[in-house]
């Protein structure tokens, strides 16, 4: 393989930062029914309209989500909460699965989690409904009544705290109380974000087509009012978080629980990044409540992750320090080189993610990406659903969170990822997937019951077809469906779909359709759901009909020290064939991290090989190829 000139390597790294979207033109402010509902509710209950709009934006981005509850049991634009009705406690993400992804150790299957206990803060619907003179059912289902009830609740907080306050800035404490946070830092973060939104202004079209505008206002928040809430101080205790993010250290359990060498948990000690570079951040959802999740992290027989983020207010708990390796992604190679962040929520069964949680998560990821030099792109900021199974038998069991309703476009906007103008896609080169999430209503099934249509809502994912036609079959995934059964529209069946921000090599173009190389096939979708991108792709070297694809980048046997058992280099059931191209995601060093119970963190050091791998975007998940098997070329 010839050495890539430095200028090309730099261009490749820049290409990996290409945008999820171009800068959209600002919408012309208009008056809509929803805008009038906010104005009327503000006037009725004596709440400044800017405050009402700012709070609602921080909760829901002014969306209604068709009356479905959020992952924190919140309803409507004002995110008024009703845990008893939402009933969002279910199983947790790692029940019955081994998140370590290390087949050199006995399989670990955690026991199902205990049921969570709802917090008192999750019951504001009834109080708000009473204050507004309406019913709880109306508050949950009618946006206008939801906004009225939210305004009534805000007004009641203001009367309790600062009845004489007459300026917008004097609503700071009431806004902080509305978050439901019980610690100072989380309440402060929520209120600060609300008032920054008021200062900057916002205009957007909601999920039900309503244009809403919050005009900029140079208001100065009376932040000193926070002390009037008498909340618990937020104690970081050494948590690794950015400034202005409420974050506490809640250490994961690390202990031996049996006589065997692998009877310890629930993570491994190490010394990253001195021993291994941290290359990935993996986005998860908990599939369980906040309370349940925090109980599980204290169980040494369970698994682990680095951070958890609470939905209602964006509060962050850290459990595993970045130097250590959490068991979260189901792929040991990815685990040993990543940080895992759990977000309170459910990918399909119930709910949507709050703006407060998106913003806290983005602050945290920006901080981690800068600290560990992790590129802000979808090759390195992965969903759990983008992490490959380690070998063929493990592919069907890989997880699918955070799912098609996680708003990657908005998330990367909050991350401040580099943006370039959107360009139409040609019949060559590569593209970035970018549907309009608000209007991209994909008919998934199985959100609650297998085969049953999911509630209508926007999605960040696009379905692939075998031909340029909506009536043609979906692509087949021999790894996910090894028996040859066809792909389905089940919300967890990721074998024939792509997601916002992912990049692929263009294989063909017919009219309004474009095809990409995907799992060794041409996958067709509407060209309107992508924008042109530039970068590098890999293809088999001349003379090779196909080359193997791997789920991990392990070193050659000769790299292991004497007495150590080399880990096998096992190909996936997939191949990369001549004439096909897949987007290059970066060089992946050949490493394997042996493990042993070691409270000092000095023994767990990686075996480093001479092999070189490239990460590629092969299907919905990333994969790896041996650099000696392929050519790295510009996408032309």
């Amino acid at each position: 393989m010839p050495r890539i000139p430095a200028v090309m390597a730099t261009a490749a790294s820049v290409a990996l930062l290409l945008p999820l979207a171009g800068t959209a033109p600002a919408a012309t402010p208009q008056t809509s029914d929803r805008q009038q509902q906010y104005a009327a509710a503000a006037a009725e209950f004596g709440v400044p309209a800017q405050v009402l709009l700012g709070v609602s934006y921080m909760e829901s981005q002014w969306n209604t989500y068709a009356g479905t509850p959020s992952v924190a049991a919140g309803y409507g634009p004002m995110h008024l909460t009703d845990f008893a009705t939402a009933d969002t406690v279910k199983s947790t993400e790692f029940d019955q699965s081994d998140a370590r992804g290390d087949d050199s150790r006995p399989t670990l299957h955690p026991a199902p989690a205990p049921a969570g206990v709802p917090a008192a803060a999750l019951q504001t619907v009834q109080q708000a409904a009473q204050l507004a003179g309406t019913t709880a059912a109306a508050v949950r289902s009618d946006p206008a009544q939801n906004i009225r009830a939210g305004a009534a609740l805000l007004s009641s907080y203001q009367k309790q705290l600062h009845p004489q306050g007459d300026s917008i800035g004097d609503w700071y404490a009431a806004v902080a109380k509305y978050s439901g946070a019980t610690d100072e830092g989380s309440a402060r973060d929520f209120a600060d974000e609300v008032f920054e939104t008021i200062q900057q202004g916002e205009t957007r079209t909601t999920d039900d087509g309503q244009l809403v505008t919050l005009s900029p206002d140079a208001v100065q928040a009376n932040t000193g009012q926070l002390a009037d809430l008498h909340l618990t101080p937020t104690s970081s205790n050494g948590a690794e978080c950015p400034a202005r993010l409420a974050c506490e250290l809640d250490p994961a359990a690390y202990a031996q629980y049996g006589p065997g060498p692998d009877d310890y948990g629930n993570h491994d000690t190490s010394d990253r990044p001195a021993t291994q570079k941290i290359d990935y951040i993996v986005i998860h959802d908990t599939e369980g409540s906040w309370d349940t999740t925090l109980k599980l992290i204290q169980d040494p027989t369970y698994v682990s992750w680095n951070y958890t983020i609470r939905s209602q207010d964006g509060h962050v708990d850290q459990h595993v320090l970045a130097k250590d390796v959490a068991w979260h992604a189901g792929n040991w190679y990815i685990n040993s080189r990543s940080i895992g962040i759990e977000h309170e929520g459910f990918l399909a069964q119930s709910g949507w993610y709050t703006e407060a949680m998106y913003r806290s998560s983005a602050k945290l990821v920006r901080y981690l990406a800068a600290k560990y030099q992790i590129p802000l792109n979808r090759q390195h900021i992965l969903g759990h659903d983008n992490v490959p199974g380690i070998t063929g038998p493990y592919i069907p069991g890989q997880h699918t969170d955070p799912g098609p309703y996680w708003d990657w476009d908005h998330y990367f906007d909050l991350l401040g990822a580099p943006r370039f103008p959107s360009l139409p896609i040609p019949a060559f080169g590569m593209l970035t997937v970018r549907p309009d999430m608000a209007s991209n209503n994909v008919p998934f099934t199985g959100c609650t019951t297998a085969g049953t249509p999911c509630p209508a809502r926007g999605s960040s994912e696009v379905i692939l077809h075998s031909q340029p036609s909506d009536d043609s079959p979906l692509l087949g995934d021999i790894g996910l469906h090894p028996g040859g059964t066809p792909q389905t529209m089940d919300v967890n069946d990721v074998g024939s779909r792509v997601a916002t921000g992912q990049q692929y090599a263009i294989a063909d173009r017919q009219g309004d359709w474009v095809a990409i190389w995907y799992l060794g096939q041409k996958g067709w979708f509407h060209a309107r759901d992508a924008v042109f991108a530039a970068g590098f792709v890999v293809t088999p070297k001349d003379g090779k009909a196909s080359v193997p694809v791997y789920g991990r980048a392990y070193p050659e046997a000769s790299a292991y020290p004497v007495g150590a058992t080399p880990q096998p280099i096992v190909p996936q059931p997939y191949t990369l064939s001549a004439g096909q191209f897949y987007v290059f995601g970066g060089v992946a060093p050949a490493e394997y991290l042996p493990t042993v119970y070691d409270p000092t963190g000095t023994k767990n050091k990686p075996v480093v090989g001479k092999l070189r791998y490239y990460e590629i975007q092969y299907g919905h998940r990333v994969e790896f190829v041996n650099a000696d098997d392929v050519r790295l070329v510009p996408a032309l």
Side-chain angles (χ1 to χ4, degrees):
M1 179 77 196
R3 188 172 70 87
I4 303 171
V7 65
M8 291 179 64
T10 301
S13 65
V14 171
L16 294 176
L17 297 176
L18 281 174
L20 302 190
T23 302
T28 302
Q30 298 176 10
T31 300
S32 66
D33 291 342
R34 187 66 39 75
Q35 186 90 44
Q36 292 174 340
Q37 289 164 0
Y38 281 110
E44 181 180 1
F45 295 101
V47 180
Q50 299 97 316
V51 170
L52 186 62
L53 284 162
V55 168
S56 182
Y57 187 87
M58 193 52 50
E59 295 285 13
S60 68
Q61 287 190 285
W62 304 324
N63 290 327
T64 66
Y65 297 100
T68 60
S70 78
V71 298
Y75 288 85
M78 297 303 298
H79 195 252
L80 293 165
T81 50
D82 189 352
F83 183 91
T85 300
D87 188 22
T88 57
V89 172
K90 297 177 173 64
S91 62
T92 62
E93 185 189 358
F94 298 113
D95 289 356
Q96 306 302 315
S97 69
D98 186 354
R100 291 178 304 186
D102 182 9
D103 54 358
S104 69
R105 293 188 274 187
T107 300
L108 174 70
H109 286 306
V117 179
L122 293 176
Q123 304 294 326
T124 60
V125 160
Q126 289 79 6
Q127 178 187 1
Q130 184 175 11
L131 288 168
T134 186
T135 65
V139 170
R140 291 192 296 266
S141 61
D142 184 340
Q145 293 303 316
N146 185 274
I147 293 169
R148 287 187 65 250
L153 189 62
L154 259 175
S155 178
S156 73
Y157 292 160
Q158 180 70 1
K159 290 174 182 177
Q160 295 167 18
L161 294 163
H162 294 282
Q164 303 305 317
D166 56 1
S167 72
I168 296 175
D170 286 332
W171 283 73
Y172 187 87
V175 168
K177 183 175 177 65
Y178 194 95
S179 71
T182 56
D183 67 287
E184 286 181 355
S186 298
R188 180 199 63 229
D189 287 353
F190 182 89
D192 284 350
E193 290 286 350
V194 168
F195 277 90
E196 286 179 14
T197 301
I198 294 171
Q199 291 164 357
Q200 296 167 7
E202 188 65 54
T203 295
R204 73 180 302 270
T205 300
T206 67
D207 60 352
D208 59 346
Q210 295 283 315
L211 182 64
V212 180
T213 296
L214 170 58
S215 298
D217 190 321
V219 59
Q220 293 299 312
N222 187 353
T223 58
Q225 290 182 343
L226 186 64
D228 298 337
L229 297 179
H230 305 292
L231 300 174
T232 303
T234 306
S235 176
S236 65
N237 297 325
E240 300 166 320
C241 286
R244 296 185 68 246
L245 179 61
C247 186
E248 296 181 314
L249 186 63
D250 181 13
Y254 184 69
Q256 286 185 302
Y257 56 82
D262 296 306
D263 294 339
Y264 71 90
N266 52 17
H267 59 280
D268 281 291
T269 58
S270 189
D271 189 24
R272 305 183 309 175
T275 53
Q276 279 186 291
K277 187 178 186 309
I278 300 173
D279 266 335
Y280 303 100
I281 296 173
V282 182
I283 304 299
H284 302 257
D285 72 41
T286 61
E287 297 297 311
S289 72
W290 173 263
D291 293 338
T292 297
T293 301
L294 294 196
K295 290 176 184 176
L296 292 173
I297 203 70
Q298 300 302 326
D299 183 354
T301 68
Y302 203 68
V303 293
S304 59
W305 47 95
N306 298 86
Y307 296 88
T308 309
I309 304 180
R310 190 162 59 202
S311 177
Q312 72 179 57
D313 57 3
H315 177 80
V316 178
D317 269 14
Q318 183 178 16
H319 313 295
V320 178
L321 297 177
K323 73 179 186 67
D324 297 328
V325 178
W327 302 347
H328 62 94
N331 183 310
W332 186 241
Y333 181 80
I334 298 292
N335 278 346
S336 67
R337 301 180 61 81
S338 72
I339 291 171
I341 303 176
E342 289 282 352
H343 299 76
E344 183 188 12
F346 306 89
L347 75 89
Q349 293 93 330
S350 173
W352 39 275
Y353 302 99
T354 64
E355 179 69 3
M357 184 160 67
Y358 275 126
R359 293 200 175 197
S360 289
S361 181
K363 287 180 186 177
L364 178 60
V365 170
R366 282 200 311 268
Y367 162 82
L368 295 170
K371 184 173 182 178
Y372 299 109
Q373 299 180 4
I374 302 170
L376 291 175
N377 58 41
R378 289 301 314 281
Q379 289 92 344
H380 295 85
I381 311 300
L382 303 174
H384 196 176
D385 54 339
N386 307 133
V387 176
I390 53 176
T391 59
Y394 291 86
I395 294 173
Q398 274 298 87
H399 289 208
T400 58
D401 57 298
Y405 305 121
W406 178 267
D407 192 341
W408 284 107
D409 195 14
H410 178 55
Y411 189 58
F412 267 70
D413 189 32
L414 292 174
L415 285 174
R419 297 248 170 195
F420 294 81
S422 296
L423 297 171
I425 56 175
F428 56 85
M430 56 185 274
L431 55 77
T432 300
V433 178
R434 189 240 171 167
D436 174 37
M437 183 163 175
S439 62
N440 186 43
N441 189 352
V442 181
F444 292 119
T445 63
C447 286
T448 54
T449 306
T452 302
C454 294
R457 59 182 118 169
S459 170
S460 63
E461 295 186 349
V462 175
I463 299 301
L464 300 178
H465 293 268
S466 56
Q467 299 293 330
S469 166
D470 288 318
D471 297 328
S472 64
L474 305 180
L475 301 185
D477 183 342
I478 60 173
L480 191 58
H481 298 281
T485 55
Q487 298 298 131
T488 70
M489 290 300 295
D490 187 271
V491 71
N492 290 295
D493 193 342
V494 299
S496 188
R497 65 180 71 163
V498 293
T500 297
Q502 291 182 314
Q503 295 184 323
Y504 295 88
I506 298 172
D508 203 350
R509 179 75 190 262
Q510 291 188 25
D512 294 333
W513 288 78
V514 64
I516 57 174
W517 290 116
Y518 185 97
L519 298 177
Q521 307 160 79
K522 287 185 178 182
W524 292 88
F525 66 102
H526 293 281
R528 65 173 182 252
D529 292 325
V531 294
F532 174 69
F536 286 83
V537 294
V538 302
T539 191
K541 283 186 174 179
D542 294 342
K544 291 182 178 288
S546 65
V547 299
V549 173
Y550 304 94
R552 52 195 180 184
Y554 276 179
E556 66 277 9
S558 61
Y560 291 80
V562 175
T565 302
Q567 299 304 304
I569 300 176
V570 181
Q572 300 280 48
Y574 312 118
T575 57
L576 196 165
S577 299
Q580 297 182 6
F581 298 86
Y582 294 89
V583 169
F584 167 70
V587 175
E591 293 182 349
Y592 172 69
L593 181 65
T595 58
V596 64
Y597 181 67
D598 175 27
T600 69
T602 60
K603 299 178 182 179
N604 294 334
K605 296 182 179 179
V607 174
V608 180
K610 295 181 179 179
L611 283 175
R612 278 195 318 148
Y613 294 85
Y614 292 153
E615 180 199 307
I616 61 170
Q617 187 67 63
Y618 185 74
H620 188 78
R621 305 182 189 274
V622 300
E623 303 283 353
F624 303 94
V625 292
N626 188 326
D628 292 334
D629 288 337
V630 297
R631 292 185 296 122
L632 180 61
V633 298
L636 299 175

